[in-house]
Amino acid sequence: MSETLQSELDQIQTLLEKRLKLSGELADSLRRARRHLPHRMRRAADDLVAADASFAHPRIAATLDQDGLLRKARRLRAYLAELDLKDRRKGRLLDIAATVGFALICVIALLVVVLRWRGFV
């Protein structure tokens, strides 16, 4: 494994610990981080985990595309560097609040329509 790819994987590991609070082996951390990653990043993470396991075997390691793996690692590192869990949580709470608010408005409008139809309003 080249030094740059190893350093990228180390940086990904530290970002996973810092941003997503996932510690342990790189493979385990990336497996647990899958739900926080978009589809392309999931595929890149899977490829990096498979490559990390393959680097222990010299003949298999020689067949791997290290430039492609380095690009994937850099893309994943860049995504993790700009990931903000507080902002995601706040967005999720605002989304839930908007959904509940819209449902309440619909129920109140339906109640007014039914009351008017029945002649109470």
Side-chain angles (χ1 to χ4, degrees), residues 42-52 69 72:
R42 286 180 195 164
R43 242 191 290 160
D46 290 341
D47 291 344
L48 289 172
V49 167
D52 192 32
L69 290 172
K72 289 178 184 184

Side-chain angles (χ1 to χ4, degrees), residues 10 16 19 32 45 61-63 69 78-79 84 90 100 103 105 115 117 120-121:
D10 292 339
L16 285 171
R19 299 284 182 168
R32 286 181 288 165
T63 63
L69 290 172
Y79 178 78
D84 187 15
K90 185 170 68 171
V100 169
I105 289 172
L115 289 177
W117 182 26
F120 293 109
V121 176

Side-chain angles (χ1 to χ4, degrees), residues 11-102:
Q11 289 175 2
I12 288 172
Q13 179 66 33
T14 56
L15 283 172
L16 285 171
E17 289 174 2
K18 189 164 110 177
R19 299 284 182 168
L20 298 177
K21 310 290 189 266
L22 298 174
S23 60
E25 297 277 328
L26 179 67
D28 294 334
S29 298
L30 284 174
R31 183 182 48 80
R32 286 181 288 165
R34 283 181 60 87
R35 63 188 173 120
H36 297 288
L37 300 175
H39 183 68
R40 283 190 178 189
M41 295 297 129
R42 286 180 195 164
R43 242 191 290 160
D46 290 341
D47 291 344
L48 289 172
V49 167
D52 192 32
S54 297
F55 279 121
H57 307 288
R59 287 189 181 178
I60 296 174
T63 63
L64 295 175
D65 178 24
Q66 290 195 9
D67 293 333
L69 290 172
L70 187 60
R71 273 182 275 147
K72 289 178 184 184
R74 286 181 179 156
R75 197 173 343 132
L76 182 62
R77 182 181 48 86
Y79 178 78
L80 289 173
E82 62 188 34
L83 187 67
D84 187 15
L85 275 184
K86 287 183 183 179
D87 187 44
R88 279 187 162 201
R89 286 183 187 135
K90 185 170 68 171
R92 192 176 306 140
L93 286 175
L94 287 174
D95 188 36
I96 291 170
T99 303
V100 169
F102 181 72

